[in-house]
Amino acid sequence: VETNKETEKQDSDILDELKHYIESNCFRCDFSIQETAEYFHMLLPNLSQFFKEKTGRNILDYTTQLRMQKAKNLLADPNLTLKDISQQVGYFIRRFKQIQKMTPGDYRKTL
């Protein structure tokens, strides 16, 4: 019989692996949460529920935050074009505007 501490440790290890996998792969244009679930041998609803229970947020919000933060960091480099940034972040302009309420170009002007 597993103790609560053993289960918590396993869950923590899985969550760490999951976050690492997402952080390493979410910038690819073809990244998907379904692919992540398959990598972890889980059904998508189970993976989503696990992540939400352990972090208090859903995977899509988490990946979006990672991408937006990277986009903001890259926008600070005036030598990078928006196309360059889009390629490094995975998807970009429309989602950036939805979240930041301004285009990436307008955001860059504020820096």
Side-chain angles (χ1 to χ4, degrees):
V1 176
E2 283 187 19
T3 65
N4 265 351
K5 285 191 179 213
E6 288 172 337
T7 301
E8 286 176 22
K9 172 76 171 113
Q10 287 175 342
D11 285 356
S12 177
D13 290 347
I14 293 168
L15 182 61
D16 288 346
E17 278 185 59
L18 179 55
K19 284 181 168 182
H20 177 74
Y21 180 87
I22 292 169
E23 290 163 7
S24 299
N25 291 283
C26 74
F27 302 110
R28 293 188 348 253
C29 288
D30 64 346
F31 173 79
S32 75
I33 299 170
Q34 177 64 46
E35 162 203 310
T36 305
E38 291 168 6
Y39 180 85
F40 282 89
H41 307 289
M42 296 175 79
L43 296 173
L44 181 58
N46 296 356
L47 179 77
S48 296
Q49 181 180 2
F50 173 81
F51 193 86
K52 177 94 174 179
E53 284 175 2
K54 300 301 175 192
T55 67
R57 54 202 305 203
N58 70 44
I59 294 175
L60 183 59
D61 290 345
Y62 182 69
T63 59
T64 298
Q65 178 192 355
L66 292 171
R67 287 173 163 172
M68 289 301 110
Q69 190 55 54
K70 182 172 183 177
K72 287 178 180 181
N73 292 342
L74 293 172
L75 283 166
D77 182 346
N79 297 316
L80 292 175
T81 66
L82 295 181
K83 183 178 179 185
D84 294 336
I85 295 168
S86 178
Q87 289 172 341
Q88 290 187 50
V89 175
Y91 68 79
F92 178 50
I93 295 172
R94 189 176 68 224
R95 189 72 174 136
F96 190 96
K97 188 173 178 182
Q98 286 175 337
I99 293 169
Q100 298 301 317
K101 309 296 184 222
M102 67 176 73
T103 67
D106 289 341
Y107 177 84
R108 178 176 264 171
K109 290 174 191 171
T110 69
L111 299 176

